[in-house]
Amino acid sequence: MKGFLRRVGGHQGSTWWFLAFVAPFVIGLALFVYIPIFWSAYLSFFDARNTVTPTKFVGLDNYRYLLGDRLFQQSIVTFIGFSAFIVPATFVASLGLALLLDGIKTGQAFFRSVFFIPTAVSYVIAAMIWRLAFFSGTRFGLVNSLLRQVGGENVNWLGGTNSWYWLVLVSLRLWLQAGFYMILFIAGLNKIPLETYEAAALDGATGWRLLRHITLPQLRATSVAVLMLLLIGAFQAFDEFFNLLGTMGSYPPYARPPLVHLYLISIGGGQQDLGLGGAGTMIITALIVFFGLVQNWLVNRTEKADAS
């Protein structure tokens, strides 16, 4: 028995210390992530209104209702449109910031902090600032004031029949996220050996050629992780849509991403339809997995093409 405990405890009990530090994280992950996911999957097969212990089994009825719901279909279109803007925009902005900061010699830590600070701001607070100060739609809003300075007119950014709200949504999330992914790219850049750049410089590779043939291939693993995180984050869009557009009285056409739509139909009306919400959660999870597999397939195909 003592020999077994010695083996489990590791060198000077290091294994016990490892378990002591990891256990709270594992327990929290199980309680707040995995158990809710499995419970949502279970509830999705029941008529669970205002209860987490349903008894009426409805099979796939919740799934059929959502997949046949025109507004839910439009919410998926909203996600695709939002992702088409925000994913490449954030990727390019964060990579550009990382390359700029990697190239400067002085004040690097200061500029990293400046661009990273917005990630600590609450989405709700940022949405309120964007709605009330920057894009308020009144003559006193910052953006409208700047437009008038150059001869423009006031724009109703979050109302009416226009689609200017997309600019507000994309700019808000871009400001909040670019700094975080910039740090990931900087970490990837720091892993590229200097000898690689020196060898490329001897071969005459500079500027775009250096970026295309040396930097970007070396950042492939980081780029895949960033793209996947951005895609998942786009699926989880809720706060900016709800706080920017929901306060205007009604949502503009195609301005209800999946989470906002699920909230409005399962909880927003006060009915607490957890079965319908669970079905929606499973559908969104399946879509995230699908897009993730497609992305990995495209990356692997690109790597094989480069290798050949």
Side-chain angles (χ1 to χ4, degrees), residues 89-103 178 182 185 189:
T90 308
F91 183 90
V92 172
S94 56
L95 177 59
L97 289 174
L99 292 173
L100 287 174
L101 293 184
D102 190 63
M182 175 199 70
F185 277 121
L189 290 171

Side-chain angles (χ1 to χ4, degrees), residues 18 58 167 170 181 209 211 265 293:
F18 171 79
V58 296
L167 176 62
V170 171
Y181 296 107
R209 292 181 60 193
L211 176 65
I265 66 174
L293 292 174

Side-chain angles (χ1 to χ4, degrees), residues 158-223:
L158 297 173
T161 58
N162 59 62
S163 299
W164 286 113
Y165 58 85
W166 283 112
L167 176 62
V168 182
L169 292 167
V170 171
S171 63
L172 172 60
R173 179 163 280 228
L174 186 63
W175 181 74
L176 287 168
Q177 289 190 337
F180 173 77
Y181 296 107
M182 175 199 70
I183 297 298
L184 297 184
F185 277 121
I186 289 176
L189 290 171
N190 290 336
K191 291 182 179 180
I192 302 177
L194 293 177
E195 294 79 6
T196 305
Y197 287 113
E198 293 172 355
L202 291 175
D203 291 336
T206 58
W208 169 248
R209 292 181 60 193
L210 188 67
L211 176 65
R212 181 173 181 268
H213 296 288
I214 301 297
T215 304
L216 292 181
Q218 294 289 329
L219 287 176
R220 180 168 289 150
T222 304
S223 299

Side-chain angles (χ1 to χ4, degrees), residues 13-178:
S14 59
T15 303
W16 292 114
W17 283 109
F18 171 79
L19 292 176
F21 281 107
V22 171
F25 171 77
V26 174
I27 293 173
L29 192 67
L31 287 176
F32 299 107
V33 177
Y34 292 113
I35 292 178
I37 289 176
F38 287 116
W39 192 249
S40 295
Y42 172 76
L43 290 177
S44 67
F45 297 104
F46 289 85
D47 182 12
R49 299 175 186 271
N50 301 309
T51 179
V52 294
T53 57
T55 57
K56 184 179 180 181
F57 181 78
V58 296
L60 298 176
D61 286 352
N62 289 323
Y63 292 92
R64 294 192 188 98
Y65 174 82
L66 283 177
L67 294 176
D69 183 11
R70 182 180 59 85
L71 289 178
F72 184 73
Q73 296 169 1
Q74 288 183 357
S75 73
I76 300 300
V77 175
T78 298
F79 154 72
I80 296 175
F82 184 62
S83 300
F85 281 101
I86 196 60
V87 171
T90 308
F91 183 90
V92 172
S94 56
L95 177 59
L97 289 174
L99 292 173
L100 287 174
L101 293 184
D102 190 63
I104 64 176
K105 303 301 181 183
T106 59
Q108 193 176 87
F110 169 76
F111 287 109
R112 286 184 184 182
S113 301
V114 168
F115 290 118
F116 183 75
I117 284 175
T119 64
V121 179
S122 165
Y123 272 71
V124 176
I125 299 300
M128 292 298 100
I129 295 174
W130 247 245
R131 183 173 68 87
L132 298 175
F134 295 160
F135 296 94
S136 64
T138 65
R139 60 188 299 268
F140 302 105
L142 177 62
V143 178
N144 279 342
S145 296
L146 294 175
L147 283 176
R148 289 199 311 276
Q149 292 295 324
V150 296
E153 298 180 355
N154 291 340
V155 176
N156 188 5
W157 298 97
L158 297 173
T161 58
N162 59 62
S163 299
W164 286 113
Y165 58 85
W166 283 112
L167 176 62
V168 182
L169 292 167
V170 171
S171 63
L172 172 60
R173 179 163 280 228
L174 186 63
W175 181 74
L176 287 168
Q177 289 190 337

